[in-house]
């Protein structure tokens, strides 16, 4: 899987470098992105090993030509001792990945350029507070009619920080979900469900671009199914599975209808992320010792994750203009 991901990211890098298919030209993008993703997952792995939690090595997943990968994952194969251990393992990945991503993004921005806007349709990337600050500090604010054209290293850094932010959402068994469970224990379920419903609502109605009553009705169905799934009692597993299946079908139908109906807005992509949150489940398995609270050092780690989430959050990650 790693070898396949190296090839797919090299191919994606060659496209970003303007040399499609010439894999060696894609190495700056591929090396940057794999360094960020690899460091992120190794952070989880090493902290798990340090705390006697059995886990797999990072599994890299090949992806489509635009980015070349769907990221990487590890699986914990033994119970976690207490909430503090879970918090440290969950926080290690995003914090380690950010330590690598931020300087690489800065290098990539120094290699980027400000050029006049191109004519026709453009695929625009959104800014987080951190990316905006680094861009202005390194390149300056682009004048009207000009746009920052990212070097492949900068684009890989942007993807790395975006993936970091997605993982920090306080839902299910995402990294942010581990951190929230470590800090708040049983209250994790409420926050996870609120996050899930918020993503669905924002994805459907945050920037509405409906062209027909059909899209509006389908979007309303998506939000109603999300609310029903979030309110489903955790103990009723079979009912939760049925509701999750209904939600995933409704959300997929909404995304497809919006895209082919030429009404896909700049926030509809959050519906896709809410589907991923639903697939990895909203609840969190319990640690062996649920009662022992995290100490001050671990709470500071959680606070660092919250700051990183705020700094890397992109309200509108992708937008098509022109």
């Amino acid at each position: 899987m790693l070898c396949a991901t190296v090839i797919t990211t090299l191919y994606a890098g060659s496209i970003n470098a303007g040399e499609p298919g010439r894999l060696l030209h894609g190495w700056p993008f591929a090396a940057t992105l794999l360094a960020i993703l690899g460091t992120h997952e190794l952070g989880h792995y090493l902290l798990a090993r340090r705390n006697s939690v059995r886990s797999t090595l990072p599994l890299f997943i090949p992806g489509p030509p635009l980015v070349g990968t769907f990221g990487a994952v590890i699986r914990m194969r033994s119970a976690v001792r207490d909430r503090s251990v879970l918090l440290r393992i969950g926080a290690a990945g995003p914090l380690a990945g950010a330590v690598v991503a931020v300087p690489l993004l800065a290098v990539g921005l120094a290699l980027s350029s400000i050029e006049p806007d191109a004519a026709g349709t453009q695929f625009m990337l959104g800014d987080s507070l951190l990316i905006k600050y680094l861009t202005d500090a390194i390149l300056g604010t682009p004048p009207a009619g000009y746009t920052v054209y990212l070097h492949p290293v900068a684009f890989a850094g942007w993807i790395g920080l975006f993936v970091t932010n997605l993982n920090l959402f306080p839902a299910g068994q995402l990294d942010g979900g581990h951190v929230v469970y470590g800090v708040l224990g049983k209250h994790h379920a409420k926050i996870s469900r609120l996050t899930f419903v918020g993503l669905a609502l924002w994805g459907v109605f945050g920037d509405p671009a409906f062209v027909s009553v059909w899209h509006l009705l389908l979007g309303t169905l998506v939000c109603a199914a999300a609310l029903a799934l979030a309110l489903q009692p955790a103990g009723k597993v079979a009912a939760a599975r049925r509701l999750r299946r209904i939600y995933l079908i409704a959300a997929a139908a909404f995304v497809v209808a919006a895209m082919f109906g030429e009404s896909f807005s700049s926030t509809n992509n959050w519906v896709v992320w809410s589907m991923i949150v639903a697939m990895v489940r909203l609840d969190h398995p319990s640690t062996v010792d649920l009662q022992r609270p995290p100490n001050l050092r671990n709470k500071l780690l959680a606070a660092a994750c919250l700051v990183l989430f705020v700094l890397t959050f992109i309200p509108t990650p992708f937008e098509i203009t022109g």
Side-chain angles (χ1 to χ4, degrees), residues 210-277:
F210 300 108
V211 296
S212 68
V213 175
W214 164 247
H215 289 102
L216 179 60
L217 291 175
L218 195 52
T220 303
L221 174 61
V222 168
C223 294
L227 186 60
L229 179 57
L231 294 176
Q232 177 64 39
K236 298 184 178 180
V237 178
R241 286 176 178 171
R242 287 194 295 270
L243 281 173
R244 183 163 60 248
R245 191 177 299 117
I246 292 171
Y247 176 74
L248 292 174
I249 292 172
F254 170 79
V255 171
V256 172
M259 293 180 69
F260 285 92
E262 298 183 354
S263 66
F264 196 76
S265 79
S266 56
T267 63
N268 287 161
N269 50 72
W270 290 116
V271 174
V272 178
W273 191 242
S274 73
M275 293 167 65
I276 294 174
V277 170

Side-chain angles (χ1 to χ4, degrees), residues 148-173:
V148 175
Y149 284 81
L150 295 179
H151 185 274
V153 171
F155 181 43
W158 185 96
I159 294 171
L161 286 178
F162 180 55
V163 170
T164 297
N165 182 263
L166 292 179
N167 275 285
L168 282 172
F169 270 89
Q173 297 183 53

Side-chain angles (χ1 to χ4, degrees), residues 7 10-11 13-14 17 19-30:
I7 294 173
L10 282 172
Y11 183 75
S14 71
E19 300 284 349
R22 303 181 69 177
L23 298 186
L24 291 181
H25 290 259
W27 77 264
F29 173 86

Side-chain angles (χ1 to χ4, degrees), residues 36-59:
I36 296 170
L37 297 178
T39 302
H40 181 124
E41 296 304 327
L42 282 174
H44 292 313
Y45 176 76
L46 293 175
L47 260 292
R49 290 290 299 270
R50 182 176 181 181
N51 289 278
S52 301
V53 176
R54 292 191 301 109
S55 69
T56 65
L57 285 167
L59 175 66

Side-chain angles (χ1 to χ4, degrees), residues 152-203:
V153 171
F155 181 43
W158 185 96
I159 294 171
L161 286 178
F162 180 55
V163 170
T164 297
N165 182 263
L166 292 179
N167 275 285
L168 282 172
F169 270 89
Q173 297 183 53
L174 299 175
D175 295 343
H178 292 326
V179 172
V180 168
Y181 190 89
V183 176
L184 300 177
K186 62 183 180 180
H187 298 294
H188 163 278
K190 296 178 183 178
I191 295 174
S192 178
R193 283 164 168 70
L194 284 173
T195 300
F196 168 65
V197 173
L199 283 170
L201 288 171
W202 178 248

